Amino acid sequence: MIYSLEAEQSVLGALMLEETVYDQIKETGIVPGDFFKPEHQSIAATIFALSDNGESVDMITVVERLEETREIDSVGGAKYISHLTDIALSTDNAKSYAKIITERSRSRQFKTMGQNVSDLVDERMSSSEIEDYVAQELARISSGSGKSQSMSAAEAAKAVIEELSNGDVTQVYTSGLIDLDRVWYPEPGRLHIIAGRPKMGKSSLPQMYLEANALKGIPGYNATLEMPGKEMAKRHIASLGRMDRAFFKQLDNHPSSEEQYSKLSAGTQIFKELPIETDFCPGANVSDIVNRSRTWLRKQDKYREEGLGLLVVDHLGLISLPGKGNSATEIGDVTKRLKNLAGELNIPVILLCQLNRGVEQRPDKRPMTSDLRDSGRIEEDADTITFVYRDSVYNPDTPDNGIAELITTANRNGDSGTIRVLENLKSSRFDNLQSTYNYQD
């Protein structure tokens, strides 16, 4: 059976008999759309709205609200509402019945998905497009992401007040750099761009994001099209142990081998316990990255229980494009897909980009947004854009030797500006200069 009439009637009746039933059934993730019969969806929506607003829920208040919305006749009238309370002789099994409703709802969605796949095959869609559709639908069904997240003005205002009262939980994410967090931190549901010319150390910055958040138990998925997992592990170990990465090649010939062995051991012990997944995926297209990262994150306890996770993609220029049309349009499709994934999973997505060579033709080689290839499409989707710049790459005699500038040129939810950090690329990391902010450990 694609639905259970008895379960739907029993749950609706129980909700009107005992108000505590609402909290019990909400633990199953049930929403009005999970009910099969349209009249039951309307009744459920009315009951849920009353409960969410803290109003009394019983047969009288439900009938009154349905009369106000002029839905009472379409649901069967007050007589049918009364019939529902008569059916629900007990509220004890309401949660079990709600699980039946949600399970049947999922089954119907799977059936629809199968029919749609058959239609896509008939329409001669490519296998990769069909695979992408299936992955998105599976994720939507399993997470309920396709269910409405709309808010009235009153509900949105209440959520803002609660967030301010409880502290902004989104700031659990960090870059590990004090001043950069003051400008922007990896905000969930957002697409963050990090860019730079070669040798600037741009890959070390998102690597630090992965480490800093993994040390707090937040799982991170690194989709790297450029560097194998073993090489990434060396970078993480060097960063976490503050060791010289050259030691991996020199070993006993390193001038401070004993010290480096100690740092290697410390970094390894830390790294092996971190929830970081490195996916070396050369030649992957954006669908591959989206589907694999989504699947992995949904298996992580921290994401399932608290919705926390992080995705890094390194880098845009290596993502396989269909090559069927305008490259700017195809790059825009990639950034749009990654931005949508950030919103769907409500996690930060960090995308690395390289810059055009044109930046090196200017006297001042500090990058600007226009230096991004197809910058218009990227800027349209990006919530933040930050460039990594080291003056010593171009000017060996610079007084800023050992200093990197992190230049934020776009920030939808905050300020732009430049911060200075210590460059420690021998250990694949950056470190704080003395903060210009009043900061206490």
Side-chain angles (χ1 to χ4, degrees):
M1 287 287 291
I2 59 174
Y3 79 104
S4 170
L5 176 63
E6 294 79 8
E8 293 191 4
Q9 291 177 325
S10 296
V11 166
L12 293 173
L15 285 165
M16 291 184 284
L17 289 175
E18 177 56 61
E19 293 186 350
T20 59
V21 169
Y22 180 71
D23 293 329
Q24 297 172 27
I25 70 163
K26 286 295 283 183
E27 293 177 5
T28 68
I30 193 171
V31 296
D34 287 328
F35 289 80
F36 177 73
K37 295 178 72 65
E39 57 266 36
H40 290 169
Q41 292 178 9
S42 297
I43 296 169
T46 298
I47 294 173
F48 285 23
L50 289 169
S51 297
D52 288 339
N53 291 331
E55 299 179 51
S56 178
V57 177
D58 56 33
M59 186 186 76
I60 295 174
T61 57
V62 170
V63 169
E64 182 178 1
R65 180 59 57 85
L66 287 168
E67 288 176 341
E68 291 175 359
T69 58
R70 300 182 180 181
E71 296 177 275
I72 189 65
D73 291 334
S74 63
V75 303
K79 184 176 181 180
Y80 185 65
I81 302 299
S82 176
H83 175 63
L84 293 174
T85 59
D86 293 338
I87 291 175
L89 299 176
S90 171
T91 61
D92 295 341
N93 296 322
K95 186 174 181 179
S96 296
Y97 295 151
K99 289 180 179 178
I100 293 173
I101 295 170
T102 57
E103 183 62 27
R104 298 289 173 86
S105 173
R106 285 161 57 92
S107 295
R108 294 194 301 272
Q109 293 176 72
F110 283 130
K111 183 177 181 180
T112 299
M113 183 186 73
Q115 293 168 341
N116 290 340
V117 168
S118 179
D119 292 339
L120 292 175
V121 171
D122 292 340
E123 294 171 8
R124 299 185 180 277
M125 296 284 280
S126 70
S127 59
S128 61
E129 291 174 314
I130 295 174
E131 180 184 355
D132 191 26
Y133 166 75
V134 170
Q136 290 186 56
E137 283 299 290
L138 287 173
R140 181 188 64 79
I141 293 169
S142 63
S143 68
S145 63
K147 294 165 183 173
S148 174
Q149 300 180 36
S150 64
M151 283 184 170
S152 67
E155 291 168 336
K158 180 181 177 182
V160 170
I161 297 300
E162 288 178 348
E163 181 180 276
L164 293 174
S165 300
N166 299 330
D168 185 358
V169 295
T170 62
Q171 291 193 29
V172 296
Y173 295 98
T174 180
S175 67
L177 296 167
I178 297 169
D179 287 350
L180 184 57
D181 280 350
R182 297 282 186 169
V183 177
W184 70 270
Y185 58 90
E187 191 173 353
R190 306 293 184 183
L191 177 63
H192 306 281
I193 302 295
I194 294 175
R197 289 293 294 156
K199 299 182 181 180
M200 291 295 172
K202 65 180 179 298
S203 294
S204 294
L205 189 56
Q207 171 195 313
M208 288 184 61
Y209 278 97
L210 288 165
E211 293 165 2
N213 290 285
L215 286 167
K216 302 170 71 173
I218 299 174
Y221 190 93
N222 183 13
T224 171
L225 293 89
E226 190 167 40
M227 194 171 299
K230 186 168 69 173
E231 293 303 312
M232 279 305 310
K234 290 178 180 179
R235 289 173 174 257
H236 285 301
I237 291 169
S239 172
L240 294 164
R242 287 352 189 237
M243 65 171 282
D244 184 352
R245 188 154 46 94
F247 180 63
F248 287 113
K249 296 180 179 179
Q250 296 177 335
L251 294 179
D252 294 334
N253 294 323
H254 194 279
S256 57
S257 293
E258 186 174 341
E259 178 187 359
Q260 294 302 316
Y261 267 119
S262 176
K263 292 181 176 181
L264 169 63
S265 176
T268 301
Q269 290 300 313
I270 297 171
F271 175 60
K272 71 179 185 179
E273 300 297 329
L274 298 183
I276 295 176
E277 181 81 0
T278 301
D279 179 7
F280 178 47
C281 50
N285 58 40
V286 68
S287 295
D288 297 330
I289 294 169
V290 166
N291 295 336
R292 298 209 294 247
S293 60
R294 179 200 283 130
T295 298
W296 183 82
L297 278 166
R298 290 197 183 283
K299 294 178 180 177
Q300 306 309 304
D301 291 341
K302 196 76 170 179
Y303 181 79
R304 289 203 307 265
E305 296 168 6
E306 301 179 43
L308 298 177
L310 178 69
L311 169 62
V312 170
V313 181
D314 183 7
H315 58 81
L316 176 61
L318 294 178
I319 295 176
S320 179
L321 302 175
K324 295 180 180 179
N326 183 279
S327 63
T329 300
E330 292 183 339
I331 287 174
D333 290 342
V334 170
T335 56
K336 184 66 70 180
R337 286 290 305 280
L338 292 174
K339 184 178 179 69
N340 289 343
L341 181 68
E344 174 195 331
L345 299 180
N346 194 34
I347 62 168
V349 173
I350 298 174
L351 173 63
L352 273 74
C353 300
Q354 287 193 336
L355 300 179
N356 296 322
R357 290 190 179 93
V359 65
E360 300 188 356
Q361 308 305 315
R362 300 195 300 261
D364 185 350
K365 296 175 174 55
R366 288 173 175 80
M368 303 179 291
T369 302
S370 58
D371 294 319
L372 287 166
R373 178 187 173 194
D374 298 308
S375 59
R377 296 303 301 267
I378 295 173
E379 190 174 11
E380 181 180 319
D381 292 324
D383 292 284
T384 65
I385 299 176
T386 297
F387 299 101
V388 181
Y389 175 78
R390 294 192 299 125
D391 197 49
S392 59
V393 172
Y394 300 109
N395 305 304
D397 298 327
T398 178
D400 286 337
N401 208 353
I403 300 295
E405 298 176 26
L406 305 181
I407 306 167
T408 299
T409 60
N411 186 359
R412 292 188 195 277
N413 292 332
D415 297 327
S416 57
T418 300
I419 70 159
R420 291 156 56 87
V421 294
L422 287 173
E423 169 262 303
N424 186 8
L425 295 185
K426 286 185 177 180
S427 297
S428 296
R429 62 178 296 111
F430 299 101
D431 288 303
N432 293 303
L433 281 169
Q434 178 153 3
S435 177
T436 55
Y437 297 92
N438 293 324
Y439 178 83
Q440 295 180 342
D441 282 326

